[in-house]
Amino acid sequence: MSKILVTGAAGFIGFNLSGQLLARGDEVVGLDNLNDYYDVNLKLDRLKQLENKTNFKFAKMELADKENVLRLFAEEKFDYVVNLAAQAGVRYSLINPYSYIESNILGFVNILEGCRHNGVKHLVFASSSSVYGANTRMPFSVHDNVDHPMSLYAATKKSNELMSHTYSNLYKLPCTGLRFFTVYGPWGRPDMALFLFTKAIKEDRPIDIFNYGKMRRDFTYIDDIVHGVVKLITHLPEPDPAWNGNSPDPATSFAPYRIYNIGNNNPVELEKYISVLEDCLGKKAIRNLLPMQPGDVPATYADIDDLERAIGFRPATSIEHGIGKFVEWYNAYYSRG
């Protein structure tokens, strides 16, 4: 049994990951600030599912609260840390940029310092497919340069990769960054397309479809994501003996550091995604076709070969099954008295 800190434990991925770790017998401390970026009641309802399980402890705090975060690390002495807490969302970063610096930069350095000073065996942290920015070569490869972000959110995630590499180099802290690709499923985030579309269709309101429906996304089901993260926690990165400073590989290092894509490896056009959702709901959407929004990218597509070699990761959930499970959850959750 390991003691694991999961930050963002009341969030979509953090909640599902914590549940899986508890089910296999780990001790989990879940950290979350329970902010109101989206419906706090949904976060609290996720948390209720965890708080009735043995071996779970909840810590309500801000990642940027240096004193309390470092105290938590000193008191709990975690074996592993999975940092999923962040100010999320590309579009919101156009409105409130300061929240991204506070949570994603200041908060992340507190995580790094906590790990460094308290003997954490491995830090696994959330990056994002957004870091690929202006890259157009498909599928996106972790071995490609990613120096042209299209949003501040993406820039903070790229910063996390750089910051963790520094700590991996200076303090030999094993760090693994995961570039998540459009995660969806039951208990999902209300600001994500699937949730927004489902709510609007059920309420007979139009859905906003950007880039006139020609967006392509590597939609990845939550169970596949969690399966991969759980396997990676104890899969510590090692220095790459072939790493060469004359032709530096961004995905590996002379330090114990790795970057992986974690996605479905099967991009789907947004129109197809909506069509499957319509079938699951038994109802047609009213489409409001719009141009591309600033900060967005037209397509994402994950090359997951490295992750497959490392831990045998191979996503197994079709969008038909995944969207069906989401709609089933949504109907049950919002039909409660």
Side-chain angles (χ1 to χ4, degrees):
M1 184 177 75
S2 300
K3 181 184 274 193
I4 302 173
L5 172 65
V6 177
T7 72
F12 174 36
I13 301 175
F15 155 70
N16 281 281
L17 174 64
S18 296
Q20 191 62 42
L21 293 174
L22 291 165
R24 75 171 193 175
D26 291 314
E27 185 178 349
V28 175
V29 176
L31 182 154
D32 206 290
N33 66 356
L34 298 175
N35 69 22
D36 61 357
Y37 170 64
Y38 62 78
D39 184 10
V40 176
N41 289 320
L42 179 60
K43 297 181 183 183
L44 292 172
D45 285 340
R46 291 184 189 129
L47 208 50
K48 282 177 195 169
Q49 310 290 311
L50 300 174
E51 287 182 322
N52 61 14
K53 298 180 193 256
T54 55
N55 292 333
F56 181 77
K57 185 190 297 184
F58 179 61
K60 184 178 185 294
M61 66 179 67
E62 299 279 352
L63 272 191
D65 183 349
K66 174 184 169 184
E67 185 177 317
N68 279 322
V69 169
L70 296 185
R71 182 186 298 121
L72 182 71
F73 270 88
E75 289 174 353
E76 297 289 349
K77 297 296 182 187
F78 303 110
D79 297 305
Y80 304 99
V81 173
V82 183
N83 183 56
L84 301 171
Q87 178 57 65
V90 168
R91 289 165 193 156
Y92 187 63
S93 66
L94 304 175
I95 301 164
N96 189 0
Y98 292 99
S99 66
Y100 289 77
I101 302 304
E102 184 172 313
S103 296
N104 302 5
I105 304 296
L106 292 178
F108 192 66
V109 81
N110 290 339
I111 292 291
L112 289 168
E113 282 289 291
C115 291
R116 168 197 170 192
H117 290 294
N118 294 283
V120 169
K121 297 174 187 175
H122 187 196
L123 168 62
V124 178
F125 66 94
S127 184
S128 167
S129 60
S130 298
V131 301
Y132 288 102
N135 288 28
T136 54
R137 184 164 67 177
M138 299 284 177
F140 290 149
S141 170
V142 290
H143 303 287
D144 289 342
N145 177 285
V146 287
D147 282 344
H148 297 86
M150 302 286 278
S151 68
L152 184 63
Y153 169 68
T156 63
K157 288 300 186 179
K158 168 67 174 175
S159 299
N160 289 172
E161 296 180 3
L162 298 173
M163 293 161 73
S164 62
H165 183 269
T166 303
Y167 273 68
S168 185
N169 167 42
L170 291 174
Y171 310 114
K172 308 308 173 205
L173 171 65
C175 293
T176 298
L178 295 175
R179 294 174 179 169
F180 291 106
F181 280 70
T182 317
V183 188
Y184 74 100
W187 294 98
R189 274 176 30 208
D191 64 321
M192 297 289 282
L194 182 58
F195 207 114
L196 292 168
F197 291 167
T198 299
K199 189 172 191 297
I201 292 169
K202 288 179 73 71
E203 294 173 359
D204 297 311
R205 291 185 292 105
I207 60 173
D208 290 341
I209 304 176
F210 296 100
N211 199 26
Y212 306 104
K214 300 304 179 187
M215 307 283 267
R216 297 175 79 239
R217 289 290 181 266
D218 208 344
F219 296 103
T220 314
Y221 190 62
I222 184 62
D223 290 2
D224 292 329
I225 289 284
V226 168
H227 179 68
V229 176
V230 167
K231 291 186 78 171
L232 268 170
I233 289 172
T234 52
H235 184 85
L236 273 61
E238 295 183 353
D240 178 4
W243 196 89
N244 185 336
N246 286 326
S247 55
D249 179 359
T252 70
S253 177
F254 52 86
Y257 170 88
R258 282 303 303 258
I259 296 292
Y260 294 107
N261 287 331
I262 184 162
N264 200 45
N265 190 230
N266 182 28
V268 173
E269 194 164 276
L270 194 53
E271 269 294 344
K272 165 69 172 172
Y273 197 67
I274 294 166
S275 175
V276 172
L277 176 59
E278 289 173 326
D279 289 344
C280 291
L281 289 170
K283 193 173 185 181
K284 289 292 183 184
I286 305 165
R287 288 160 167 75
N288 181 28
L289 299 177
L290 296 168
M292 182 83 84
Q293 273 214 327
D296 245 337
V297 295
T300 64
Y301 179 8
D303 178 337
I304 58 170
D305 288 352
D306 285 33
L307 193 57
E308 185 172 20
R309 281 191 292 269
I311 60 167
F313 177 78
R314 179 51 59 181
T317 310
S318 68
I319 59 165
E320 288 80 8
H321 177 79
I323 292 174
K325 294 298 285 183
F326 172 81
V327 168
E328 187 180 297
W329 166 80
Y330 185 98
N331 287 335
Y333 182 77
Y334 287 102
S335 66
R336 301 173 309 164

